[in-house]
Amino acid sequence: DYFDTRFKNPLTKEQCRAIIIDEDNNYINAGAGCGKTQTMVAKTCFLIEKKNINADEILIFAFNKKAQEELVSSSRSE
């Protein structure tokens, strides 16, 4: 339910799995337009809202400036 109602675009089963897997580090590798940024934003929201992780304890690396800008704007709109 969380994934179905929380985000504008529906997440795939693979994206949901990547989000709920409880690891210290996550690596997302996929082609352009596959939803990497959305998955990263959803994972961050999930950690903060459902796992009660402090946002200051989360570090996200973006491949380039455009990805960084998308992450910032997506996190504000989600």
Side-chain angles (χ1 to χ4, degrees), residues 4-18:
D4 293 336
T5 59
R6 177 68 173 87
F7 304 101
K8 288 185 273 186
N9 297 323
L11 299 171
T12 66
K13 289 180 183 179
E14 291 83 6
Q15 287 173 307
C16 291
R17 185 169 174 243

Side-chain angles (χ1 to χ4, degrees), residues 28-37 63-64 66 70:
I28 298 174
N29 183 22
C34 291
K36 295 179 297 294
T37 301
F63 180 71
N64 58 36
K66 183 178 178 191
E70 286 181 46

Side-chain angles (χ1 to χ4, degrees), residues 4-68:
D4 293 336
T5 59
R6 177 68 173 87
F7 304 101
K8 288 185 273 186
N9 297 323
L11 299 171
T12 66
K13 289 180 183 179
E14 291 83 6
Q15 287 173 307
C16 291
R17 185 169 174 243
I19 293 165
I20 62 171
I21 289 176
D22 196 13
E23 299 284 340
D24 288 338
N25 301 297
N26 294 98
Y27 174 75
I28 298 174
N29 183 22
C34 291
K36 295 179 297 294
T37 301
Q38 181 181 10
T39 302
M40 292 169 66
V41 169
K43 175 78 174 191
T44 304
C45 292
F46 181 78
L47 290 172
I48 294 168
E49 295 172 6
K50 295 295 185 182
K51 296 287 189 169
N52 297 316
I53 303 295
N54 185 330
D56 292 335
E57 297 177 15
I58 299 172
L59 177 64
I60 299 174
F61 288 99
F63 180 71
N64 58 36
K65 184 74 172 172
K66 183 178 178 191
Q68 180 221 354

